[in-house]
Amino acid sequence: MGDEATEELTEEQRSEDEAADGPSVPQEGDAGAHAGSGHGEPDKSAKQTEEEPAPSRAEISNYEIVEHWFNVAAEHLDLPDDIAAVLRSSYREVQVQVPVRLGDGKLHVFSGYRVQHNGARGPYKGGIRFHPEVDLDEVRALAELMTWKTAVVNIPYGGAKGGVNVDPSKLEKREVESVARSFMDKIEKVLGPQRDIPAPDVGTNAQVMAWLMDEYGKLHGHTPACVTGKPIALEGSFGREAATGRGVVQVFCEAAPEIDLDPSDATFVLQGFGNVGAWAARLMQELGAKMVGVADASGAIAGRDGIDAEKLADHVRDGGKVTDFDTGADEIDPDDLVALECDVFIPAALGGMLHNGNADRMQCRMVVEGANSPTTPKADEILNEKGIFIVPDVLANAGGVVVSYFEWVQNLQHFRWGEDEVNERLGEIMRRAFREVADRAHENDTPMRPAAYELGIERVVEAASTRGYI
Ligand code: NAD
């Protein structure tokens, strides 16, 4: 596909009950059984574990979640099995060792991954995550999600994702820099502005992108378009840092009339207060909406009178945790965050956080998925039964990759757009994508998620078959 030579692809083995009755909902607790399906052995790479107390997460992998939705859409689209097998597997999966000498004087070996899922619609595009739980299955799932996401918002990219199983919060800044540079040295051959363009994700930021660009430049000459999400001083785009959160809020405004909600009257809860969460919270507050609960990895707080998102963002930027925020809000059990009464719940942390064990406790009217794969298929079923309107990740959090696309376009032209122009163009794309998905959902009488997957898959199939790849 694209500039690449073809590779042998393995046919996915579908279980008999899936073939007969349609894709079954993966049961939480089964994780691992189908991990790696269609790609060889389940991933057994080393992982470190979280030490912070955290709310419960599903035992189902991101990979199983994405595969489930792909299977549902493929069946509804009547996609032939051989075509589905190509789209279900990745084009290329690279795993590398990332040896770094840390401050203790010892060499530590981390595992780094870059998965390129499908490049029919353009160069591969997707973030790089630094997190102790990163493994091949997770990166594979997130790469596939990027293929459908870039197609849903109709920007000319394929889907990719990368990551290193490192906890950057436990490293010195120069150690994080060494991890970033070492990782780039190992994967640069499969990257490039016309081939695959990384961006920030969980645990990485503009500074990490600057180191990646610099390392790539040592080998290829100054190439700002090789990564996006860079600092403004290094040809980053105005508006990129806020873009994912802004896109979440733009689709929320489009979705609100679907449940007769006035955005300026809404109450909301945020799970995760990093790049996506903090921006979404501030922009929701700008609309007049009120944050009544929020969590990060340190724990959760709640307050019916509202928690000031601007002040909380300043506090977190200065190194504070959500639970140290002195506002009169009460600390609550992180597991109880999902049960807070509100209009909108915005997951903006990790995958699998809304699951079989907590979905029926949710008391919101709408979920707007800032995070990738935050809702398991079982939870999705429960939320739909409860009449909760879900704006799925493939649509809701696409604002980041849309402005990454703008950054790449600006870099290729060595020309910079103003922030208002970026935000305006982002809004146009997000609103159009929302409308296209919502129209299809109304037409098919389905929720938004299957409609979004179908739209994305159809566009990729059209591009791949027009090229003659499938
Ligand atoms: P980030 O690292 O900036 O923030 C993650 C936040 O989640 C932090 O506040 C962290 O403390 C919190 N968190 C971690 N574990 C938690 C837990 N168990 N409970 C509650 N909070 C927890 O990451 P980000 O860039 O904001 O990404 C968040 C999500 O959005 C991820 O799923 C990511 O894949 C997705 N996403 C990000 C972008 C982007 O542009 N950054 C784009 C699309 C999707």
Side-chain angles (χ1 to χ4, degrees):
M1 207 167 312
D3 56 336
E4 321 289 357
T6 48
E7 265 176 69
E8 225 183 293
L9 295 154
T10 35
E11 172 106 9
E12 165 100 356
Q13 298 295 314
R14 297 178 77 203
S15 67
E16 282 179 16
D17 61 324
E18 281 184 8
D21 307 328
S24 58
V25 174
Q27 293 305 299
E28 290 154 22
D30 292 353
H34 9 260
S37 165
H39 303 271
E41 288 300 299
D43 177 43
K44 301 274 200 321
S45 50
K47 287 188 203 173
Q48 297 172 7
T49 46
E50 287 270 337
E51 282 167 19
E52 297 266 16
S56 58
R57 283 177 70 191
E59 291 287 304
I60 181 174
S61 69
N62 280 5
Y63 182 74
E64 289 165 294
I65 295 175
V66 176
E67 279 312 279
H68 172 77
W69 294 116
F70 174 81
N71 290 339
V72 169
E75 185 170 291
H76 195 250
L77 288 171
D78 240 344
L79 212 60
D81 284 354
D82 52 350
I83 305 271
V86 174
L87 298 179
R88 205 178 261 130
S89 46
S90 328
Y91 174 73
R92 177 189 273 145
E93 299 183 342
V94 180
Q95 177 169 349
V96 294
Q97 62 171 199
V98 183
V100 177
R101 194 168 298 281
L102 298 183
D104 60 6
K106 292 189 186 138
L107 259 184
H108 293 247
V109 186
F110 301 101
S111 296
Y113 310 90
R114 186 72 183 170
V115 172
Q116 296 167 338
H117 174 257
N118 184 290
R121 301 182 71 260
Y124 300 99
K125 187 85 188 80
I128 289 185
R129 181 174 283 204
F130 284 180
H131 190 277
E133 288 173 25
V134 161
D135 64 21
L136 187 53
D137 295 323
E138 179 179 74
V139 175
R140 186 182 277 154
L142 294 167
E144 180 176 339
L145 199 62
M146 286 304 293
T147 299
W148 314 133
K149 192 181 298 183
T150 51
V152 167
V153 290
N154 215 353
I155 55 175
Y157 283 137
K161 203 79 177 188
V164 179
N165 65 346
V166 63
D167 186 348
S169 68
K170 301 226 160 59
L171 301 186
E172 300 289 329
K173 188 175 174 188
R174 57 173 187 73
E175 294 172 327
V176 178
E177 177 177 355
S178 302
V179 171
R181 289 188 185 277
S182 175
F183 183 46
M184 176 52 93
D185 291 343
K186 311 298 180 311
I187 60 167
E188 53 83 23
K189 284 190 178 53
V190 298
L191 304 182
Q194 309 301 339
R195 186 162 291 192
D196 181 357
I197 306 125
D201 192 74
V202 174
T204 58
N205 55 20
Q207 174 61 78
V208 174
M209 296 306 113
W211 292 323
L212 293 177
M213 181 194 88
D214 186 67
E215 198 63 21
Y216 188 87
K218 285 180 187 168
L219 298 155
H220 301 272
H222 181 60
T223 319
C226 73
V227 291
T228 59
K230 300 179 294 295
I232 297 296
L234 290 173
E235 296 192 52
S237 176
F238 290 117
R240 173 60 184 89
E241 195 201 312
T244 307
R246 188 177 298 281
V248 163
V249 176
Q250 285 165 335
V251 291
F252 159 66
C253 289
E254 293 303 295
E258 304 269 337
I259 58 161
D260 290 324
L261 177 66
D262 174 354
S264 64
D265 257 358
T267 53
F268 66 97
V269 167
L270 254 159
Q271 182 180 54
F273 203 77
N275 170 283
V276 178
W279 276 107
R282 277 175 283 180
L283 294 165
M284 289 288 284
Q285 188 164 293
E286 241 176 69
L287 293 175
K290 186 163 71 176
M291 181 160 75
V292 293
V294 56
D296 68 3
S298 72
I301 58 174
R304 288 315 302 174
D305 294 336
I307 301 162
D308 191 318
E310 278 294 344
K311 288 193 180 137
L312 180 59
D314 291 342
H315 167 79
V316 169
R317 197 180 308 109
D318 293 341
K321 296 173 173 180
V322 161
T323 43
D324 317 324
F325 188 52
D326 189 15
T327 55
D330 298 320
E331 189 163 346
I332 57 167
D333 185 325
D335 276 333
D336 292 338
L337 187 84
V338 295
L340 291 174
E341 208 174 297
C342 62
D343 295 310
V344 193
F345 187 92
I346 306 178
L350 302 172
M353 297 195 71
L354 307 180
H355 50 79
N356 200 9
N358 64 13
D360 62 345
R361 300 183 65 209
M362 294 193 76
Q363 298 203 55
C364 58
R365 298 172 61 201
M366 180 187 291
V367 171
V368 185
E369 295 183 342
N372 283 316
S373 304
T375 313
T376 65
K378 191 71 196 143
D380 187 89
E381 201 175 286
I382 296 168
L383 298 183
N384 279 312
E385 272 163 21
K386 285 164 77 89
I388 295 174
F389 187 90
I390 304 174
V391 188
D393 50 6
V394 271
L395 169 64
N397 68 33
V401 71
V402 170
V403 177
S404 273
Y405 162 56
F406 296 160
E407 181 174 331
W408 178 74
V409 167
Q410 291 169 77
N411 291 160
L412 293 175
Q413 300 177 22
H414 299 284
F415 184 78
R416 180 168 270 167
W417 305 351
E419 186 164 358
D420 288 348
E421 183 174 0
V422 170
N423 294 343
E424 187 55 34
R425 286 177 186 260
L426 170 64
E428 275 168 31
I429 290 184
M430 296 304 291
R431 284 189 285 275
R432 186 192 61 209
F434 181 90
R435 239 359 326 135
E436 287 175 342
V437 173
D439 287 350
R440 190 172 189 123
H442 287 307
E443 238 167 68
N444 292 354
D445 197 21
T446 65
M448 295 281 281
R449 195 189 313 273
Y453 265 73
E454 283 179 31
L455 188 65
I457 292 168
E458 250 178 22
R459 287 178 174 160
V460 172
V461 168
E462 189 185 354
S465 58
T466 310
R467 274 172 184 269
Y469 187 74
I470 54 174

